[in-house]
């Protein structure tokens, strides 16, 4: 099973150095498990890049369409209270931002708190990757 952080989904929509690696990971295993607010985090990243002048407004619409298509295929962890409980524990244990703790909390919930070695977590965030591995996931950082 593979849990995808928003930082690994953005390169599926916006061409970045890790885009090819992310596409390869998705080709190998098309099932994605994500936190229910991942779509919002991805839209925030896309809109931020647009404000920085990375692309024009028309491109945002196309990316949003691709995001909608992608999100119809993924599985979302949507239970708020158990994810929040895990995230708050993680904040005491790891140097994480709230959004990253929620992502990892959702992954732990999906894995029944026992990720072992058959659960993978895809992220481009180095700090989150370290926490993911310490919690027992196989951390995958897309090349790029």
């Amino acid at each position: 099973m593979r849990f995808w952080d928003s930082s690994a989904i953005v390169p599926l929509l916006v061409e970045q150095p890790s885009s090819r690696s992310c596409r390869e990971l998705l080709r190998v295993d098309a099932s994605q498990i994500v936190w229910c607010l991942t779509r919002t985090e991805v839209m925030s990243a896309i809109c931020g890049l647009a404000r920085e002048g990375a692309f024009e407004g028309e491109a945002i619409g196309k990316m949003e369409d691709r995001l909608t298509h992608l999100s119809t295929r993924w599985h979302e962890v949507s239970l708020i209270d158990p994810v929040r409980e895990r995230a708050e524990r993680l904040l005491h244990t790891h140097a994480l931002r709230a959004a990253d703790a929620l992502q990892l909390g959702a992954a732990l919930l999906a894995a029944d708190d026992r990720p072992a070695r058959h659960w993978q977590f895809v992220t481009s965030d180095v700090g989150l990757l370290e926490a993911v591995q310490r919690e027992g996931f196989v951390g995958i950082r897309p090349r790029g």
Side-chain angles (χ1 to χ4, degrees):
M1 302 296 284
R2 198 174 273 167
F3 188 94
W4 287 68
D5 175 48
S6 57
S7 67
I9 293 175
V10 171
L12 294 172
L13 306 169
V14 179
E15 198 58 37
Q16 297 180 340
S18 64
S19 291
R20 183 176 178 177
S21 179
C22 289
R23 286 191 296 266
E24 288 172 14
L25 287 168
L26 189 58
R27 259 187 239 114
V28 170
D29 182 2
S31 65
Q32 290 178 295
I33 301 171
V34 302
W35 167 230
C36 64
L37 297 179
T38 293
R39 182 183 166 98
T40 305
E41 287 185 11
V42 170
M43 280 305 302
S44 174
I46 289 170
C47 291
L49 288 168
R51 280 190 292 279
E52 293 171 5
F55 40 80
E56 298 297 317
E58 191 174 296
I60 294 175
K62 291 178 182 177
M63 289 175 206
E64 193 166 7
D65 289 345
R66 288 191 303 216
L67 177 59
T68 297
H69 175 72
L70 188 60
S71 68
T72 63
R73 298 177 11 207
W74 65 37
H75 306 282
E76 289 188 355
V77 175
S78 59
L79 296 173
I80 302 293
D81 290 338
V83 169
R84 182 179 53 225
E85 289 168 13
R86 284 160 179 81
E88 289 174 0
R89 176 191 66 79
L90 292 164
L91 290 169
H92 286 283
T93 310
H94 307 283
L96 294 171
R97 294 171 290 157
D100 291 339
L102 289 163
Q103 290 277 351
L104 183 48
L108 283 166
L109 182 63
D112 292 324
D113 295 307
R114 296 183 308 270
R117 291 292 165 207
H118 66 278
W119 274 89
Q120 299 175 342
F121 191 111
V122 185
T123 182
S124 295
D125 184 304
V126 176
L128 179 55
L129 182 67
E130 182 180 315
V132 160
Q133 292 169 333
R134 287 179 51 201
E135 290 295 323
F137 288 91
V138 174
I140 298 176
R141 184 171 182 223
R143 297 178 313 276

